[in-house]
Structure formats: structure tokens, C-alpha cells
Amino acid sequence: MVKSGECVVCIDNLETGRMENIAHLIGRPGFSFFLHDIVQPFDVKGPVAQIYNLACAASPPKYQLHPVHTFKTSVIGAINLLELAGRKGARILQSSTSEVYGDPDISPQREDYRGLVNTVGPRSCYDEGKRASETLFHDFHLRRNTDVRIARIFNTYGPRMDPEDGRVISNFSVQALSGLPLTVYGDGKQTRSLCYIDDMLDGLIALMNTDTAGPDPVNLGNPGEYTVLEIADMILEMSGSPASITYRDLPRDDPHQRCPDIGRAIRLLGWAPKVSLREGLVPTLAYFREEILRSARTKERSA
């Protein structure tokens, strides 16, 4: 967006984000960064046309560290951004999640599926927070005519992920490249559908800019479905790692299936992912390899 000449205001508390990810944008005309937690009220000077609400830790190890704040980010943060959208007359997009479907008993998951979610489990702060934010977006649209979009994002990966993110691609990549055993939870037969970051960004931008989708949720993800063991084997092969696989108990409420029905996105947005998992892992593994080397160099200098 900055490349196309648009002015972008980035607001982040850096709870999970890293300044390294936007270092190339700092100081460029049209880009501003503010260190702020959207749980607290705020305002932006001047006109605003579009708001992307991408806030909230998304990996279980991180959102479970501070569950009350996770829930506040999804709910109070959403209210603050919806109020800002109302003041500015802006269109606002909510980054919801496939986790609203919980541990589904149908596959693939369609937008009209209401989910199978535990309200009092270790993942509830995130799952229920995102479900509540969808309700807020719906009601602000219904009662205040706020121009809203809701994206249900399925697992996304790619360069610039935090090596300590705690999800399957980052865990397996870092472990394989470090020569450590890959940790598989359960029997590894649970499935994941993984969307490369470039495809996801194209989907989010398409949803924001369309006038056909309206306020109803739209699944964005790659319907290619792999078992966790298949993902582990692929990363071991592509990284050339001799590492083994170790098994641990499956965490409570961990979903057994995750696969999007993207028919609505295809019809309304003309969008579908283009990058296969194997293609996307090439730059992703290269990124993690460089991150591991960079970390090692930093430790050497500080020793």
C-alpha cells in the first residue's frame, strides 16, 4: 500500500510483533508507526478510508500467557476501532479466525457452520474473543450502518514469522533447521490447511475493496489439507534435516480438522490461493535459516 502511494498508519503494542518486520518502512513518506495498545482509546488525525483490525496474539502459547488481555484485545479493541471507523466514515475489516469453528464435526468448514467451541477451556480467551468481535461488527453494521468486512483467516505462514511463534510451521522449521526432534502432538493425524502469506494478503485486500461481500463472514485460507505428520515429513525433506520426530500428548481442545470451504471467497472476490505448501516453504525455510544464523551471531557477539 505504501508502494502505491497510500498513507498507512500502523498501530501496535509489539506484544507479538517485531520492529524488524517494519524496519524497511520506518522513515518512508506515507508511513507512520505508533506504539499503542488498542485496548486503550485512541484517535488518528485526518481522514481515514480503511481500517484493518489485525490485532490479537494468534498462537496458543502467546495468547494463553495473558488470557484476559487477549479477550480484551478482541472485544474492547474491536469496539475502539469500530468507534473510530464510525467517526471517520471508514470501512473496517475484522481479522477473525477459523478458530471460531472450534474442533469442528464437519469438514470443510463453511461460513454457515456455527462451530463446536469450548467456552471454558485454555483456548477460549482467543476463540470466544474472536466470536464476540464478529458479533460486535455485525451489530455496529446493523445499528449504526458501519461499513464492515469480516475475514475468517485459516492458518497462515511465511517469512517474518516469529521463530518462537509456537505454531506448526515455525515449530517444525526451527526444530528441523536446528537439528532438533520435531515435536508432534497427539498421533499427528490431525489436519491443517496452510495459506502462504502473499495469498492471504491478496485475499484480505480483495475483501476490503469489494462491494459484493457485505458484512457476512468470508473464509480465507488454502483448502489443501495435510496431516501434521505429512507437514513434518515435508519440512524434514526440504530442509535436509536428519532430525527425528517425537510425540507428546495432544493439548486440550486442539482441533482435529481444519480445512476451509472457500466457495464464497471465489464467488464474491474472485480470489483463491495460488501458492502450494511446498512452494511456500521454500522462502519460509530460507527465512528461518537466516533467523537462526542471525540469532547465533548475536549470541557470539554478546558472549
Side-chain angles (χ1 to χ4, degrees):
M1 293 181 179
V2 175
K3 286 183 179 179
S4 63
E6 297 180 47
C7 293
V8 175
V9 177
C10 175
I11 300 172
D12 199 334
N13 67 355
L14 298 181
E15 181 181 279
T16 59
R18 302 191 298 169
M19 285 301 296
E20 294 96 322
N21 289 347
I22 58 171
H24 61 293
L25 296 171
I26 300 297
R28 288 186 57 174
F31 182 82
S32 303
F33 172 77
F34 294 94
L35 182 64
H36 183 84
D37 190 329
I38 66 163
V39 169
Q40 303 301 323
F42 64 94
D43 203 356
V44 176
K45 293 181 180 179
V48 176
Q50 298 179 341
I51 300 172
Y52 288 83
N53 180 18
L54 306 172
C56 195
S59 70
K62 295 196 174 183
Y63 67 62
Q64 290 173 14
L65 282 175
H66 306 288
V68 174
H69 185 263
T70 296
F71 196 82
K72 284 183 175 180
T73 301
S74 290
V75 177
I76 299 175
I79 291 172
N80 286 336
L81 285 170
L82 284 161
E83 296 282 8
L84 177 64
R87 293 194 300 271
K88 298 294 185 178
R91 176 175 291 177
I92 179 169
L93 182 147
Q94 166 65 6
S95 62
S96 188
T97 172
S98 60
E99 298 305 311
V100 300
Y101 299 122
D103 187 7
D105 52 10
I106 68 165
S107 190
Q109 292 87 56
R110 301 186 308 272
E111 289 90 347
D112 59 0
Y113 175 61
R114 296 184 180 182
L116 189 62
V117 180
N118 181 5
T119 62
V120 290
R123 304 170 70 99
S124 303
C125 59
Y126 182 72
D127 300 0
E128 289 299 293
K130 289 291 190 176
R131 287 165 69 94
S133 66
E134 288 194 11
T135 300
L136 285 164
F137 269 65
H138 170 268
D139 289 346
F140 265 74
H141 171 75
L142 187 66
R143 298 299 180 185
R144 302 190 186 182
N145 202 34
T146 307
D147 190 5
V148 306
R149 300 289 183 272
I150 299 174
R152 286 183 179 162
I153 297 173
F154 283 67
N155 296 64
T156 305
Y157 70 98
R160 295 186 181 158
M161 290 182 76
D162 185 346
E164 298 180 2
D165 177 76
R167 283 175 285 187
V168 64
I169 293 295
S170 53
N171 281 355
F172 286 172
S173 296
V174 171
Q175 289 169 340
L177 293 168
S178 302
L180 300 173
L182 274 60
T183 305
V184 170
Y185 295 94
D187 59 10
K189 294 180 182 178
Q190 64 270 34
T191 66
R192 295 293 182 265
S193 299
L194 300 157
C195 187
Y196 188 62
I197 182 62
D198 289 2
D199 283 335
M200 181 56 63
L201 291 175
D202 287 344
L204 290 171
I205 293 169
L207 179 57
M208 172 65 89
N209 291 320
T210 186
D211 291 321
T212 60
D216 294 328
V218 177
N219 286 340
L220 294 178
N222 192 319
E225 190 174 10
Y226 297 85
T227 68
V228 170
L229 276 177
E230 287 173 333
I231 298 167
D233 288 340
M234 188 180 298
I235 288 177
L236 287 173
E237 174 209 332
M238 293 181 66
S239 65
S241 173
S244 59
I245 293 176
T246 186
Y247 293 85
R248 294 184 184 175
D249 291 340
L250 191 68
R252 183 182 173 191
D253 297 334
D254 195 68
H256 288 79
Q257 288 182 311
R258 187 62 83 229
C259 182
D261 182 324
I262 61 169
R264 194 158 192 267
I266 293 171
R267 291 193 305 274
L268 298 180
L269 311 180
W271 174 88
K274 301 174 183 177
V275 181
S276 70
L277 178 57
R278 185 171 288 274
E279 291 171 326
L281 282 175
V282 173
T284 302
L285 286 167
Y287 160 77
F288 280 120
R289 184 177 284 107
E290 181 56 35
E291 283 291 293
I292 292 168
L293 291 172
R294 185 168 69 91
S295 177
R297 289 194 294 266
T298 300
K299 289 179 181 178
E300 287 175 2
R301 286 195 295 268
S302 61

